[in-house]
Amino acid sequence: RKFNVAVVGATGAVGEEVFRVMEELNFPVNKLIPIASARSAGSTIEFLNKEFTVLELTETVFEEQEVEIAFFCAGGSISEKFAKFAVEAGAVVIDNTSHFRMDPKVPLVVPEVNPDDIGLWRETGIIANPNCSTIQMVQSLKPLDDLYGIKRVDVSTYQAVSGAGKSGMEELVKQMQDFFAFRLDETEIKAFAHQIALNVIPQIDVAMENGFTKEEMKMVNETQKIMHKNFEVAATCVRVPVLRSHSESLTVTFKDGVDVDVNEVRNALENFENLKVIDDLPNKKYPMPIISTDTDFTYVGRIRKDVYASNIVHYFNVADQVRVGAATNAVRIGLKWIEMESDI
Ligand code: 11C
C-alpha cells in the first residue's frame, strides 16, 4: 500500500533532496504533503513531474492531512516543537535533526548497520537520523567490527559546506566569485566562523567543555549508540571548501592480537551494502568528493595496514552529505520501517 508522506522543511537543502531520493527509490507515496515555514508556504515543489503547493507548518497540519510518515528536515527547534503533533496525528516521524538522537527511548538508525532498532519506534513515534559524518563512518566500521572487533577509532573529517545547508553552499560560491572579482577581503562571512573559500576551518559547531566540538562529540556518542558498542572514538572535524561531500580519514585499532589482512578488510568493505571500494593508489584511484557527489554510495579506499602495529588499519571514505548523510538515510529508514513495522 501507499502512504501519506509529509516533508517538513520542504524547501531546504535536505528536504528538496528527500523528494529526489523518494522518486529514485520508488517510495510508495499516496499523498505528498510538502510543509515549510509561513515564509515558504504557497511556493511549489516538483515531485514525479507534478507540482505540489507547500503548506504552512502548524500544530494541526498533520492531522488535517492525515499524515502517516513525516520526514522532519527543518532544524532541531522545529522538531522539538512540532514532531509531537505529527506523532499525535498517528504518523511515524523520521527526524533529521540532532534533537532526539541521544534520547534513550528514540532509536538512532543507519539501516545497513542497526535496522532492528527501528522496532523501538513505537515507544515515542520517532526514529532519529544520525549526523552525516557519523552515518558514513559507521557504514564502514560495522563490517570491520564484525570482522575483527574494534578497540578504538581515530577520525579526521573534511566536511563540505552543505552541512550548513543552502546558506553554507551559497556562501562558498559567493566567496569564490568575490575572489575572482578581487573582492575577497570584503566578502561576507556569515554561515561559518571564518572565510571558507581557500581555507579550512578546524571547528564545526560549538566548543564543548572537554576541548572537543559538538560535532566531534556527536561522532563519539552517536557511533556508540548506533553500534551498541563502547569502543573509543576520537574525532577532529574540519570544514573544507567542498560543496556537498564529506571525506573522512580513519585509523581503526582492532582488539589486541588481531593481525590485519588488508585483503580481508577490502573484502569485508566490498561486500557491505551501499559501500563501494575504490582502492588502486598506483593508478591514482581512490574516493574523492567529486566521485561521491549526487550518489547514494559511501566510497572507501586508501586501505593500508599500519607500518608499526599489526592491529591497525588506515583508510579514507567519502559520501554525499545531503544524500547519504541525510536524505537517503532518512528515506532508507522510511522504506525499512514500511517493510518491518507498518501494518500492511
Ligand atoms: C555539518 N554535520 O556538516 C553537520 C550538519 O547534527 O544533523 C548536520 C548537523 C546534524 O555541519
Side-chain angles (χ1 to χ4, degrees):
R1 87 170 177 89
K2 295 184 173 181
F3 296 83
N4 297 343
V5 181
V7 178
V8 178
T11 55
V14 175
E16 282 181 355
E17 205 70 23
V18 167
F19 298 122
R20 299 292 76 81
V21 178
M22 284 200 299
E23 285 173 338
E24 287 167 26
L25 299 186
N26 293 320
F27 202 87
V29 178
N30 175 44
K31 181 165 66 157
L32 188 74
I33 307 128
I35 298 174
S37 64
R39 199 163 31 94
S40 302
S43 62
T44 54
I45 63 102
E46 235 186 70
F47 184 72
L48 294 173
N49 298 321
K50 278 196 218 138
E51 290 213 329
F52 292 81
T53 302
V54 177
L55 303 183
E56 184 182 345
L57 177 59
T58 61
E59 295 178 1
T60 53
V61 70
F62 303 98
E63 197 172 352
E64 284 158 10
Q65 298 296 324
E66 299 177 332
V67 173
E68 296 174 283
I69 299 174
F71 293 101
F72 271 71
C73 321
S77 56
I78 299 292
S79 294
E80 179 181 15
K81 193 162 166 216
F82 288 95
K84 60 174 177 278
F85 299 111
V87 172
E88 277 165 22
V92 58
V93 168
I94 300 171
D95 185 37
N96 256 304
T97 77
S98 61
H99 186 71
F100 297 104
R101 285 183 196 148
M102 295 315 295
D103 182 333
K105 292 202 218 92
V106 173
L108 181 64
V109 176
V110 177
E112 300 89 336
V113 176
N114 60 333
D116 292 345
D117 284 353
I118 286 175
L120 303 172
W121 76 281
R122 284 178 198 277
E123 182 129 9
T124 58
I126 298 168
I127 303 169
N129 201 36
N131 183 27
C132 39
S133 40
T134 311
I135 293 173
Q136 72 186 73
M137 180 168 78
V138 296
Q139 286 176 329
S140 60
L141 292 184
K142 169 72 175 151
L144 298 188
D145 189 50
D146 289 347
L147 181 66
Y148 292 141
I150 291 174
K151 184 171 151 192
R152 181 180 168 94
V153 176
D154 291 278
V155 56
S156 292
T157 69
Y158 309 74
Q159 293 183 224
V161 292
S162 56
K166 272 187 188 169
S167 59
M169 296 166 85
E170 282 160 10
E171 187 151 315
L172 173 59
V173 171
K174 178 72 176 45
Q175 289 182 355
M176 292 306 292
Q177 287 166 339
D178 286 345
F179 169 71
F180 287 112
F182 304 100
R183 278 197 311 252
L184 193 54
D185 54 344
E186 60 200 59
T187 199
E188 188 181 30
I189 295 170
K190 207 164 145 203
F192 306 105
H194 303 274
Q195 173 194 312
I196 186 61
L198 309 175
N199 195 18
V200 298
I201 305 172
Q203 174 178 7
I204 298 179
D205 214 330
V206 295
M208 310 290 282
E209 275 187 0
N210 64 2
F212 286 83
T213 62
K214 197 168 171 191
E215 179 82 358
E216 289 160 353
M217 291 316 295
K218 281 180 189 175
M219 292 190 78
V220 176
N221 299 324
E222 294 180 17
T223 297
Q224 292 177 341
K225 177 167 175 176
I226 295 162
M227 293 190 62
H228 300 276
K229 294 280 165 99
N230 52 11
F231 53 69
E232 298 165 6
V233 181
T236 303
C237 291
V238 181
R239 185 76 69 200
V240 297
V242 166
L243 270 179
R244 54 176 281 171
S245 275
H246 286 356
S247 307
E248 297 176 341
S249 167
L250 284 120
T251 293
V252 177
T253 305
F254 296 107
K255 300 232 157 96
D256 295 345
V258 169
D259 186 11
V260 168
D261 176 335
V262 169
N263 285 327
E264 280 179 357
V265 169
R266 193 176 288 117
N267 280 343
L269 295 168
E270 261 164 2
N271 291 326
F272 197 71
E273 208 182 342
N274 298 322
L275 280 191
K276 279 191 191 290
V277 174
I278 307 176
D279 194 29
D280 185 2
L281 183 60
N283 288 310
K284 305 185 181 73
K285 291 188 177 153
Y286 26 72
M288 293 184 288
I290 54 171
I291 292 173
S292 55
T293 291
D294 251 330
T295 81
D296 286 329
F297 295 103
T298 296
Y299 296 81
V300 185
R302 296 296 324 277
I303 304 164
R304 60 221 190 264
K305 187 171 179 170
D306 191 68
V307 174
Y308 303 97
S310 63
N311 63 334
I312 294 180
V313 74
H314 308 274
Y315 61 94
F316 192 74
N317 76 27
V318 301
D320 186 313
Q321 185 270 332
V322 192
R323 286 193 160 236
V324 175
T328 303
N329 198 69
V331 173
R332 284 176 180 153
I333 290 174
L335 288 170
K336 261 278 176 264
W337 177 85
I338 290 170
E339 186 189 314
M340 291 168 59
E341 297 294 323
S342 68
D343 308 312
I344 318 173

